[in-house]
Each structure stands twice: as structure tokens, then as C-alpha cells.
Amino acid sequence: MSACVPTRHDRTSRSSRPPRASGIKRPHSPPPPPRRGRFRIAGADLSSSITVFLLAVPMSLGLAVAMDAPLEAGLISAAIGGIVAGLLGGTPLQVSGPSAGLTVVTAELIQIYGWRTTCAITIGAGLLQILLGSLRAARSALAVSPAIVHGTLAGIGVAIALAQLQIVLGGSPQSSAVANALALPDQLGRVSPAAPLIGVLTIAVLILWPRIPGRIGRVVRRIPAALAAVVTATAVAAITAPGIARVDLPSWRSHALPEMPHGPALALATAVLTVMLVASLESLLAAVAVDKLSADRAGGQAAARSKADLTSSSASASDPASVSVSVSASAQGPGPSSSSPPDPPDPPDPPVRRSDLDRELRAQGIANTLSGLVGGLAVSGGAVRSSANVRAGATGRASTVLHGVWVVLAAGLLVTALEQIPLAALAALVMMVGIQMVSFAHIRNVHKHREFLVYGATITGVLLFGVLKGVVIGIAVAVAVALHRLARTRITVTEQGGQHLVVVQGQLTFLAVPRLSRALARLPQDGDAVVELDGFFMDHAAYETIQDWSIAQTAHGGRVVFTGRSGGRIAEPASAAHSCCRPWTPWRNHHCHDRPGQTPETHHARLGTGPASDSGSGSVEDRSPEHHTPHNAPGAHSAPGPADSPTAAPRRTGGNRLFSGLSSFQRNTAPLVREELARLAREGQRPSQLFITCADSRLVTSMITASGPGDLFTVRNIGNLVPPPDAESSDDSVGAAIEYAVDVLKVDSITVCGHSGCGAMQALLGSKPGPDTPPTSLWRWLRHGLPSLERMASRHHAWARISGRLPADAVEQLCLTNVVQQLDHLRAHGPVARRLAEGTLQLHGMYFHVGEAQAYLLAEGASAGLALDEVFNRVDPGDAHASSDSHTLADSHALAGSHALADSRSPGDADTPGPAAPGDPAGSGELERTGV
């Protein structure tokens, strides 16, 4: 038995741990966290910062040109976004700079209010971002429908592309997207060839640069495509078009700073709100995208390392020399070896933390406030710059900060080189950025989720009326679409073989109640109906309608079954289906794998005649009392229906059902319980109670006790019998389990659980085993139940009763009495008696009514053998624990009535046989109880 004793690990012991100064590395210990307070620069961050800098400079200048803002303002916002937002932000790998999403908004603000007032608006937007970040509202901003967000960005992208197309064609952008589109024919009529050719060259390099094949392509792709396109266009323009319009960086001495805003207060507040909304959404969406890119990169690195390890191990296994070296090294023992140890693998990149969106929003607000104060553009996180930073191998915020430092140096030292860039090249670059903001992947997703109407309305609103009004239009259309879907419910009624099928497609709300009521009222009141609910929401009005109808239908003799879209039964409300706090008991619909090819129609037909009873969700299928099949043979523990019965579902073979169940467990349940079972495997089992119950297949102990792995030490046998230790034909199996549970596992309690319709009790009542009984294993075992039968027939013991009612028949009476008798047998076992005397063990009696799914607990006094009344109390859903020693007023009246019934005979009639007890096969009245 010692081999079965669970090992108990003392996690609090520190005696076996080596001291920190011993130089011994503990296995599986995580690496020490990096020291804070020191700005660390890795080689990958340095190279990544240069890559992002080379991309950010032309893009910042191009956005400044697109907004008709001072060109140095683009460099200022790039520097502040890199340094300030990089140091303070919650997304270490996100690169911030001038906002592409605010191109149209900023251009309109500059045209209406001027540059200095626009800077003041940027300051106000930054302060509002700081406030929202402090209120932890960043996650709420992502609650906007993705169709609205992506529609807004796509509308801004289209507006950017139309405006920059004017510059590529040699003209100047108009005040709105509609004006730019209307001006295109006139601009095409007077186009000069120089600017369009430079723009086309820039676009061609942007598209073809990442697609250069071969070894040369791998080398040149390290240079950002934007930088290569601008450098190529600048070089070609210097040779072929020396007179083309170029970048003009004014002196820093003439740089304009913000001023107090002038204009209508409501219009200025709207401008501040618009800038804040667009900049915040762009930054937060970029942060989420950076998280995904970082996770994908980490997963790719882990897969590459695993593949490399597998390759190296297989290579070493196939190399006889390496095998011989390893064998000789192991033979030498732990001492110094002649062969040098293998080189350690390259350490993986440190994991990047997930974004803190509230911190990121506060950092963006601080950066916008500073950028507005020193005369820069509005700042936001950029998906293009950030994705380039992640793909370049950045590991921390040092890359973002250094990129801002390089921008500052370039603004002071590379003015002459920057002024050689053609405006047409920058316009083409920004135009491609705008085109990329219209993502076809987003369009496919929006169309797949039937949100294209919202997406299209948002784009149209942004192009026609501006960003803020376009967002409002998108929200309004989204609400209208949601209300339309909520109110649109299709109800069809068909008849199939005398059974009516009601299919409800859509959400069930009070708006659909009139049509639902009319459809249900047309069904015959005494007919069978299947209601298929093909939706995901049902409000209270619809639920009450269906509930009232199902009750009335059942009262008139009809039968109702509720199914879902797949045809499976709805056995309880959705709240009950998800209320289980134990992930290892996914019992609902546990037979779904038994009928993989079944169609909903055949399932409906089978549900209409099946014997099972479902409850909940207002469904009523069969509320008849529990059906007991008499046992003609003692070997039958439970009697299934005839195989050819029309109500019997086809049974699968045992091997197929076992395989399907195991497969379902590995697929659905094993991932949920693997961690818990691994813990139990390490620590050993520590159950709190021994649970002795019947082997009946309908009794699922983990389900009725809401227990999981490691909670119950269970013993199951025919009739939940506990043979006395001094019995003539004692059974060592049950005694060994009791001894092991009490002495080794140190359980706190032992429960004996009987159940309704027990086949063992029916066999005992049907034919009492005697000397002529065949000596089969079953009858030898059932002899341990004879004391229960004698106890029920004895006049020296009170009948065991259920609180609130009398036992239904003799079978239920014997089931209850058997629980009490087996508790007496249990107390006769030495380990149990010793623990009971010490006061460290409790005994409980339990009865479970299968047909009602109702549990009853024996009163504490009766469980301890100290009370005359043997009453099983009902366990209600709201009970924290069974109140065993107190009864409600109704229970008291019921108990008084049962006593009166039991003691109704006069003392002089004590020996007079009474009427036959329910279920008494002989009718002799020998099972009649008179009380004490």
C-alpha cells in the first residue's frame, strides 16, 4: 500500500534550496528582471532606429507639404513623437510622428484659422488626450465599430490621395476632397510633364523596391523603400528637371509659434474634439497592430529555434562520431572531459510587454501638447513607421527614441540635402500612404460581417462633410442597421409527419412578440411541436410569451421541444449553461458526438417521441413520473427499453462510443483541465471525502456534487452496499477502500448515496435470496443488502422518510432505509469508529432522485446514529448547506402527517397485519410500518 500513498510536497520548506551566493543555478528559474532606471541600447535597436529615421524624414516632409504646413513642423512633430512618446508611451515599439489621418483635418484648419491657431488646437487636443488617458478611457475608444474606424481611415486616405494627386500633376490641392476630384479634369488639361514623371518614378520605386529578387534584393531591401524612392527621384530630377518645385525649409528664426485661438468657441471645440478623436484612434489602432506584429515575430522566432534544435539533434543522432563522444563523456562522469562543450544557443529576444493603452494615450497627449507649443504638427502613432520598426528587429523603446534624435540632427545638419527633394516625389510618397489606408483586407472583413453599409456610409460622410461629421454619420447608420437586424425576425411554421416545426430566424425581442404569438396560436393545442430558435438573443417579453405558450400546450396534452440552429436540444437557459464554475464538467450535450451525421429533421422526429425529459428555457418535453421497469431477472441492474422500440434511439457499439468520447475529451476538455491535472500529478491526491454510491450509469457523482479531479474518493458498487467487517462473506474491496481513505488519505467525511429506482433494491424486494438461490456472484453480493430489507420490515425501527412527503413506493422506501443501514455498517469498521471517537470524521447519508434531479440529505442526528427519526431533507438551489436539524413549517406539517399515518393503529392492533405497502409483491402487508 505504500506505493499508493500520495506524495505531499511542502512548498514552504526552504531547507533544500541552495543559497543565492552559492553560484548554483536553480532549475527552471526565470531570468532575473532587467534593472530599471537605466536606458539600455541594443545593437538591434540602433540599426532599427536608423531604418525608421530614413523612412520618417521623407514622410514627415511629405505630410507637411500635404497639409500646407511649414515643412519644419513635420520634422518637429517627428522628433517629439519619437523622443517624448517613445520614452513615456505604453507601446515600446510604436513610432509616433505627424499623423497621416489628420492630413485633411489639419489642412482645413490651417486654411480656416491659420497656422498659429492650429498649433493651439493641437495643444487643446493633447490636453484632452491626457485627461482621457488618466480616466482610463483608452479601451473604450476601441469599442467603436471596426467598420466605422476603418471607414474613417479609408475616407481620410482617399482624401489624401486626391489632394496629393494635384501636386503630382503639377498643381495645388483644393479645400476638400470633392473639390480635388472636380478639379482633376482641368488639371489634366494643363499638366506639365516634369512633376508627373517624377511622381510616377517615385511610385514605381516604392512598388518595385521590396520585390527585387535574389541576393541583391536581400541586400538592398535593408534600405527603406520610401528613402530609395525619394533619393532616386531627387537624383533624376537634379539631372532632367532642374527647375522643378523643391522643398523650401525656412530659417528656424522665422518659425511661427502658437497664439491664442481666434474664432467661434463651438467651432474651435469641435476642431479640438476632431483632432483628439482621429489622433487617438489612429494611435490606439496602431498600438494594437504593433502588439500583433510583435507576437507574430516572437512566434516565428520560437518556431525557427525549435526547427534549428530539431535539425541539430537529428544531425547529432545520425553522426556516429557525436554519439561516441557523448557516450565517452558520460562514461567519464561529471569530471572534466576531453571534448569541449557545445556552444550555447543564441539567447532569444526579450519578450515585449503588451501595450498599456491608457499610458500610450497619455504619452500621445503630452507629445501633442509639446508639439503644439513649439509649432509642430499633431502627433499620433503610425502603423507604417511602427511596422517598419518591428520588422527591422527592434527590441525596445530605444529604437523609437533614437529615431527622434536622428531627426533632430538631420533638421540641423542636413538642411541643404533636404532642400534638393522635389515636392512631386514627397506628394507621390504621401499619396501612396493614403492609398494604403484603404485596406482591401478590411473591406473583405467588413463585407463578411455584413457591415459594408456602415463602412460605405462612413467613407462617404468623411469625403463629403469632414471627419467628425463622417464619424457621426457612420455611428448613426450602424445604430440603424443594428435596430433593423434586431427587429427583423422570420417565423415559419411547417408540418412534418403530424409534428409542427416552428423556425424562428433572427433575434427575439418585444418587436417580434405579436407575430410570434400569432404563429404559435395557430398550432393545435394538443399537438406536438418543435421550436427551432435560430438566433442569439431573446428578451424578457419573448421569453415570457414562449414560456406561457409551452405551459399551456403541455397542459392540453401537447409536447414541446426547443432546439438550436444545429438541431440540438436546448436543455436549460443560456445562463445555466454558462454558470458552471468547473471547466472539467462539460456535461451538457455530451452525446453530440454520438450522431455526427444526423440532420436536424431526423433529430426533431426523434425528439418528439423520446423518453427523456428536458427542462429549462421554457421547454416542456415529457413531465411524466419516473418510469420504473420491473426487474424479472436479478442480474438486471437497470432495464433498458426494447431494442426495436420506436422510441429507442439507435445505440452505437461500445468501441465506437468509447473512441468518440475519448476523442471529444482530448479535443474539448483536456486543454481545460491539463494544468489542474498536472498539479494533482505533482502533489498527489488529497480528497476531502469518501463517496460510496451505486454503480448505476445514471448517477454522475461529479455532476450532482459539482466536484472535479481530486475532490472525491469514490467507491461504486451494486446497491451502494457496505459489508460489515465481521460478515460471513465479507468483501475486502470495500473495506480496503474505507481503510485507505480514512487512515491514508485522511478524508474529513464519508457519504453513502442511494438513488431512486435502484435495481439492487428492486431485486431484493422481488425475490429474497434463500438457500435455494443460485450461488452467482450477484446474489452473493446482494446478501449484504438483506439487513436493509430486515430493517424496513422490523417494527423496532422507524421508517426512513423524505421531508415533505411519504416515500412513493416500497422500492423508494428500501432505497432510503438501505442508506441508513449502510451507515450503521460503516460505523462498525475499526478505522471509522476510531476517527468518529476522535471527532475528526463525519458520516452523511444522501438520496438522489434521478427523475427529478433532486438531492436529499439525511438529518445530521440520523447520520450520526443518534436520532430516531430518519428524515432526508430536500437540498434547495439557494441553500449554502443542508439545514439538517431544522424544518420549515411545511416540512413539519408533512412529518406530522407521516407520523399520524404510521401510528394510526391502536396499541391493541399492533400485531394485526395492515394493508399491503406500495410495491409489496406478496400483498401480505409484511412491509407495513407502524412507527416506534
Side-chain angles (χ1 to χ4, degrees):
M1 183 176 293
S2 60
C4 299
V5 177
T7 57
R8 298 176 184 262
H9 300 283
D10 187 3
R11 296 183 177 270
T12 61
S13 175
R14 300 180 180 268
S15 59
S16 61
R17 297 183 181 181
R20 294 182 181 271
S22 63
I24 300 176
K25 183 179 179 180
R26 287 173 292 178
H28 309 296
S29 59
R35 298 179 181 177
R36 295 185 178 181
R38 188 171 63 182
F39 190 75
R40 303 180 62 183
I41 301 176
D45 292 331
L46 182 61
S47 61
S48 299
S49 68
I50 296 175
T51 300
V52 178
F53 157 72
L54 296 176
L55 172 66
V57 169
M59 185 174 293
S60 301
L61 292 174
L63 290 174
V65 171
M67 298 176 190
D68 198 21
L71 297 184
E72 65 272 16
L75 299 177
I76 291 174
S77 60
I80 291 179
I83 298 174
V84 177
L87 284 174
L88 305 178
T91 310
L93 299 185
Q94 177 161 271
V95 181
S96 301
S99 172
L102 285 171
T103 302
V104 178
V105 177
T106 305
E108 184 179 358
L109 293 177
I110 293 175
Q111 186 176 10
I112 297 175
Y113 301 108
W115 169 245
R116 300 182 67 184
T117 300
T118 301
C119 291
I121 292 174
T122 302
I123 296 173
L127 294 175
L128 191 56
Q129 283 180 311
I130 296 174
L131 176 61
L132 293 178
S134 301
L135 296 176
R136 299 186 177 276
R139 290 285 177 185
S140 301
L142 295 179
V144 181
S145 171
I148 298 175
V149 174
H150 296 306
T152 302
L153 296 178
I156 293 172
V158 172
I160 291 174
L162 289 174
Q164 298 311 296
L165 183 58
Q166 296 285 344
I167 299 178
V168 170
L169 295 177
S172 58
Q174 304 298 315
S175 58
S176 66
V178 176
N180 284 318
L182 296 177
L184 276 178
D186 182 62
Q187 183 64 40
L188 289 173
R190 50 188 177 85
V191 66
S192 57
L197 290 177
I198 294 298
V200 171
L201 176 62
T202 304
I203 295 173
V205 175
L206 282 172
I207 296 174
L208 299 177
W209 190 262
R211 294 173 172 80
I212 299 178
R215 182 179 302 176
I216 297 177
R218 288 195 298 271
V219 174
V220 301
R221 280 197 296 270
R222 298 179 181 177
I223 303 174
L227 177 65
V230 171
V231 169
T232 303
T234 301
V236 172
I239 299 173
T240 60
I244 195 172
R246 302 177 187 275
V247 170
D248 182 16
L249 284 174
S251 172
W252 287 102
R253 297 178 180 177
S254 60
H255 181 64
L257 297 177
E259 64 177 1
M260 290 299 295
H262 300 285
L266 181 60
L268 291 173
T270 302
V272 170
L273 182 63
T274 303
V275 173
M276 182 278 301
L277 178 65
V278 176
S280 300
L281 285 176
E282 189 174 9
S283 299
L284 296 177
L285 290 175
V288 174
V290 168
D291 279 347
K292 185 177 185 303
L293 288 174
S294 302
D296 292 344
R297 186 183 68 178
Q301 290 175 348
R305 285 195 299 270
S306 300
K307 184 177 180 180
D309 293 342
L310 182 62
T311 304
S312 61
S313 62
S314 60
S316 62
S318 61
D319 187 0
S322 62
V323 174
S324 62
V325 169
S326 62
V327 171
S328 62
S330 61
Q332 292 174 359
S337 175
S338 58
S339 61
S340 59
D343 296 333
D346 295 334
D349 293 338
V352 179
R353 293 181 301 173
R354 291 179 61 87
S355 295
D356 183 346
L357 297 184
D358 294 307
R359 178 181 175 182
E360 181 65 29
L361 188 57
R362 290 194 299 269
Q364 294 293 332
I366 295 173
N368 272 315
T369 303
L370 294 178
S371 180
L373 285 173
V374 297
L377 296 173
V379 173
S380 72
V384 177
R385 295 182 293 263
S386 301
S387 60
N389 190 37
V390 174
R391 292 191 177 98
T395 61
R397 62 181 73 249
S399 173
T400 302
V401 176
L402 286 177
H403 127 270
V405 174
W406 307 144
V407 172
V408 172
L409 295 178
L413 303 178
L414 301 178
V415 175
T416 303
L418 296 177
E419 289 181 339
Q420 300 300 316
I421 301 175
L423 292 179
L426 295 179
L429 173 64
V430 177
M431 185 176 70
M432 290 300 295
V433 172
I435 293 174
Q436 291 172 356
M437 292 173 70
V438 184
S439 172
F440 289 100
H442 292 156
I443 294 176
R444 285 194 298 269
N445 286 332
V446 166
H447 184 269
K448 181 175 65 176
H449 292 92
R450 298 185 298 171
E451 297 284 344
F452 189 78
L453 180 60
V454 179
Y455 183 84
T458 306
I459 292 179
T460 304
V462 169
L463 292 176
L464 296 179
F465 307 107
V467 176
L468 189 59
K469 294 179 180 178
V471 171
V472 172
I473 292 173
I475 293 175
V477 173
V479 171
V481 169
L483 290 176
H484 173 71
R485 290 175 178 172
L486 200 60
R488 183 184 179 186
T489 306
R490 293 183 58 191
I491 303 173
T492 59
V493 179
T494 58
E495 185 176 357
Q496 299 177 352
Q499 188 178 56
H500 291 82
L501 174 62
V502 182
V503 179
V504 182
Q505 294 179 318
Q507 316 313 316
L508 273 175
T509 65
F510 65 95
L511 299 174
V513 165
R515 288 185 291 121
L516 179 64
S517 299
R518 286 194 297 268
L520 296 178
R522 287 196 294 266
L523 300 179
Q525 292 185 344
D526 56 349
D528 297 342
V530 175
V531 181
E532 180 179 319
L533 302 177
D534 185 5
F536 301 96
F537 176 76
M538 180 190 300
D539 69 0
H540 186 70
Y543 175 81
E544 289 290 342
T545 301
I546 293 179
Q547 177 80 354
D548 295 342
W549 170 80
S550 65
I551 294 174
Q553 190 82 358
T554 306
H556 286 83
R559 301 179 65 188
V560 181
V561 176
F562 289 89
T563 69
R565 176 167 44 185
S566 61
R569 299 189 199 185
I570 300 176
E572 64 266 352
S575 59
H578 298 283
S579 62
C580 180
C581 61
R582 301 280 189 166
W584 46 75
T585 55
W587 186 84
R588 181 174 180 260
N589 295 331
H590 68 296
H591 281 165
C592 291
H593 56 266
D594 290 344
R595 298 180 294 272
Q598 179 176 291
T599 60
E601 289 75 17
T602 59
H603 192 58
H604 297 330
R606 186 170 298 144
L607 289 179
T609 56
S613 174
D614 287 344
S615 60
S617 297
S619 63
V620 179
E621 182 185 350
D622 188 2
R623 298 194 177 185
S624 60
E626 182 185 5
H627 176 70
H628 298 290
T629 303
H631 288 241
N632 298 324
H637 185 64
S638 62
D644 56 351
S645 171
T647 64
R651 292 187 60 178
R652 301 183 66 184
T653 60
N656 290 339
R657 168 165 281 182
L658 174 65
F659 179 80
S660 299
L662 292 175
S663 177
S664 177
F665 168 80
Q666 295 298 147
R667 179 176 63 254
N668 301 323
T669 311
L672 302 176
V673 303
R674 187 168 287 117
E675 182 178 354
E676 176 69 10
L677 291 179
R679 182 188 67 81
L680 291 173
R682 293 192 306 268
E683 300 176 359
Q685 60 167 329
R686 301 178 184 179
S688 61
Q689 56 182 310
L690 168 63
F691 200 83
I692 303 175
T693 189
C694 187
D696 194 295
S697 62
R698 299 167 295 179
L699 208 63
V700 185
T701 57
S702 61
M703 180 181 68
I704 65 177
T705 60
S707 58
D711 292 342
L712 299 181
F713 189 74
T714 306
V715 174
R716 305 189 67 153
N717 59 53
I718 303 295
N720 48 274
L721 302 178
V722 180
D726 55 350
E728 183 177 340
S729 58
S730 180
D731 182 83
D732 291 334
S733 174
V734 178
I738 295 172
E739 180 182 348
Y740 184 79
V742 173
D743 288 342
V744 180
L745 298 178
K746 305 292 184 183
V747 296
D748 300 327
S749 66
I750 303 178
T751 301
V752 177
C753 176
H755 68 95
S756 62
C758 181
M761 300 301 105
Q762 295 186 43
L764 285 173
L765 281 174
S767 55
K768 181 178 179 180
D772 299 333
T773 302
T776 63
S777 299
L778 179 59
W779 276 121
R780 283 197 298 270
W781 173 256
L782 287 180
R783 283 193 178 97
H784 297 302
L786 290 178
S788 301
L789 193 63
E790 295 171 358
R791 184 188 187 101
M792 190 177 74
S794 172
R795 302 185 183 276
H796 301 288
H797 296 280
W799 258 358
R801 299 180 304 278
I802 290 181
S803 176
R805 67 174 175 84
L806 289 173
D809 51 23
V811 174
E812 187 170 59
Q813 179 64 68
L814 183 57
C815 292
L816 298 173
T817 303
N818 181 60
V819 172
V820 180
Q821 182 63 39
Q822 302 313 313
L823 288 174
D824 286 349
H825 292 176
L826 196 58
R827 296 187 195 95
H829 284 259
V832 176
R834 184 178 63 256
R835 289 281 303 278
L836 288 175
E838 296 172 355
T840 58
L841 183 66
Q842 293 182 341
L843 302 185
H844 300 290
M846 176 179 167
Y847 175 75
F848 185 77
H849 196 288
V850 177
E852 297 175 356
Q854 179 61 55
Y856 300 86
L857 278 181
L858 183 61
E860 290 184 3
S863 295
L866 303 176
L868 295 179
D869 283 342
E870 299 163 359
V871 180
F872 287 80
N873 296 317
R874 176 189 179 98
V875 180
D876 292 324
D879 292 346
H881 55 83
S883 178
S884 302
D885 293 329
S886 62
H887 304 290
T888 62
L889 181 61
D891 293 340
S892 300
H893 283 295
L895 291 177
S898 65
H899 277 294
L901 179 63
D903 298 335
S904 59
R905 295 181 301 164
S906 64
D909 297 333
D911 297 330
T912 304
D920 186 356
S924 61
E926 64 176 358
L927 300 182
E928 173 70 7
R929 286 305 311 129
T930 59
V932 178

